[in-house]
Coordinates of all heavy atoms in Angstrom, one line a residue:
S75 N 6.5 23.5 -20.9 CA 5.9 23.3 -22.2 C 6.7 23.9 -23.4 O 6.9 23.3 -24.5 CB 4.5 23.9 -22.2 OG 4.2 24.7 -23.3
Q79 N 8.4 21.8 -26.5 CA 8.1 22.0 -27.9 C 9.4 22.1 -28.7 O 9.5 21.6 -29.8 CB 7.3 23.3 -28.0 CG 5.8 23.0 -27.6 CD 4.9 24.2 -27.6 OE1 5.1 25.1 -28.4 NE2 4.0 24.2 -26.7
S118 N 9.0 0.8 -19.9 CA 8.1 1.1 -18.7 C 8.8 0.6 -17.4 O 9.8 -0.1 -17.4 CB 6.7 0.4 -18.9 OG 6.9 -1.0 -18.7
T148 N 5.1 -4.9 -9.2 CA 6.3 -5.5 -8.6 C 6.1 -7.0 -8.6 O 7.0 -7.8 -8.9 CB 6.5 -5.0 -7.1 OG1 6.1 -3.7 -7.0 CG2 8.0 -5.2 -6.7
L150 N 3.9 -8.8 -10.4 CA 3.8 -9.3 -11.8 C 5.2 -9.6 -12.4 O 5.3 -10.6 -13.2 CB 3.1 -8.3 -12.7 CG 1.6 -8.0 -12.4 CD1 1.0 -7.0 -13.3 CD2 0.8 -9.3 -12.5
E178 N 12.9 -14.9 8.3 CA 12.0 -16.1 8.5 C 11.4 -16.6 7.2 O 10.9 -17.7 7.2 CB 10.9 -15.7 9.5 CG 9.9 -14.7 9.0 CD 9.1 -13.9 10.1 OE1 9.8 -13.5 11.1 OE2 7.9 -13.8 10.0
L192 N 8.3 2.7 -1.3 CA 6.9 3.2 -1.5 C 6.7 4.6 -1.1 O 7.3 5.1 -0.1 CB 6.0 2.3 -0.7 CG 4.6 2.2 -1.2 CD1 4.5 1.4 -2.5 CD2 3.7 1.4 -0.2
I202 N 18.8 -4.8 5.2 CA 18.4 -5.5 3.9 C 19.7 -5.9 3.1 O 19.8 -7.1 2.7 CB 17.4 -4.7 3.1 CG1 16.1 -4.5 3.9 CG2 17.2 -5.4 1.7 CD1 15.1 -3.6 3.2
S210 N 23.6 -14.6 0.1 CA 24.0 -14.5 -1.3 C 22.7 -14.3 -2.2 O 22.5 -15.1 -3.1 CB 24.7 -15.7 -1.8 OG 25.9 -15.8 -1.1
G231 N 18.0 3.0 -5.5 CA 18.4 2.3 -6.7 C 19.9 2.0 -6.9 O 20.3 1.3 -7.8
D235 N 21.7 -4.9 -7.1 CA 22.1 -5.2 -8.4 C 21.5 -4.2 -9.5 O 22.2 -3.8 -10.4 CB 21.7 -6.6 -8.8 CG 22.5 -7.6 -7.9 OD1 23.6 -7.9 -8.1 OD2 21.9 -8.1 -6.9
I267 N 21.0 -6.0 -20.3 CA 19.8 -5.2 -20.4 C 19.7 -4.6 -21.8 O 18.6 -4.6 -22.5 CB 19.6 -4.1 -19.3 CG1 19.5 -4.8 -17.9 CG2 18.4 -3.2 -19.6 CD1 18.3 -5.6 -17.7
L290 N 13.2 2.6 -24.4 CA 12.7 3.9 -24.1 C 12.6 4.7 -25.4 O 13.5 4.8 -26.2 CB 13.7 4.6 -23.1 CG 13.3 6.0 -22.8 CD1 12.0 6.2 -22.1 CD2 14.5 6.6 -21.9
K317 N 6.1 19.3 4.3 CA 6.5 19.9 5.6 C 5.3 20.7 6.2 O 5.1 20.6 7.4 CB 7.7 20.9 5.4 CG 8.4 21.3 6.6 CD 9.7 22.0 6.2 CE 10.2 22.7 7.4 NZ 11.3 23.7 7.1
L323 N -1.1 19.6 10.2 CA -2.2 18.7 10.3 C -2.2 18.1 11.8 O -1.2 17.8 12.3 CB -2.0 17.5 9.4 CG -2.5 17.5 8.0 CD1 -2.2 16.2 7.2 CD2 -4.0 17.8 8.0
F327 N -4.5 12.5 12.6 CA -4.3 11.9 11.3 C -2.9 11.5 11.3 O -1.9 12.3 11.4 CB -4.6 13.0 10.2 CG -5.9 13.7 10.4 CD1 -6.0 14.9 11.0 CD2 -7.1 13.0 10.0 CE1 -7.2 15.5 11.2 CE2 -8.3 13.6 10.2 CZ -8.4 14.9 10.8
N344 N 0.6 10.5 2.3 CA -0.6 9.8 2.8 C -0.8 10.1 4.3 O 0.2 10.4 5.0 CB -0.5 8.3 2.6 CG 0.3 7.6 3.7 OD1 1.4 8.1 4.1 ND2 -0.1 6.5 4.2
N361 N -14.8 20.1 -2.1 CA -14.1 20.4 -3.3 C -12.6 20.0 -3.3 O -11.8 20.7 -3.9 CB -14.3 21.8 -3.8 CG -15.5 22.0 -4.6 OD1 -16.0 21.0 -5.2 ND2 -16.1 23.2 -4.6
K374 N -5.2 -9.8 -2.6 CA -6.6 -9.9 -2.7 C -7.1 -9.5 -4.1 O -8.3 -9.4 -4.3 CB -7.3 -9.0 -1.7 CG -7.0 -9.5 -0.3 CD -7.7 -8.6 0.8 CE -7.6 -9.3 2.1 NZ -8.1 -8.3 3.2
V389 N -1.0 -6.5 8.4 CA -0.4 -5.1 8.5 C -0.7 -4.4 7.2 O -1.1 -3.2 7.2 CB 1.1 -5.2 8.7 CG1 1.7 -3.8 8.9 CG2 1.5 -6.1 10.0

Side-chain angles (χ1 to χ4, degrees):
S75 131
Q79 286 174 35
S118 71
T148 327
L150 291 178
E178 67 200 47
L192 207 66
I202 295 170
S210 297
D235 296 281
I267 295 297
L290 174 61
K317 198 171 163 192
L323 273 179
F327 309 97
N344 81 318
N361 275 335
K374 292 183 174 170
V389 185

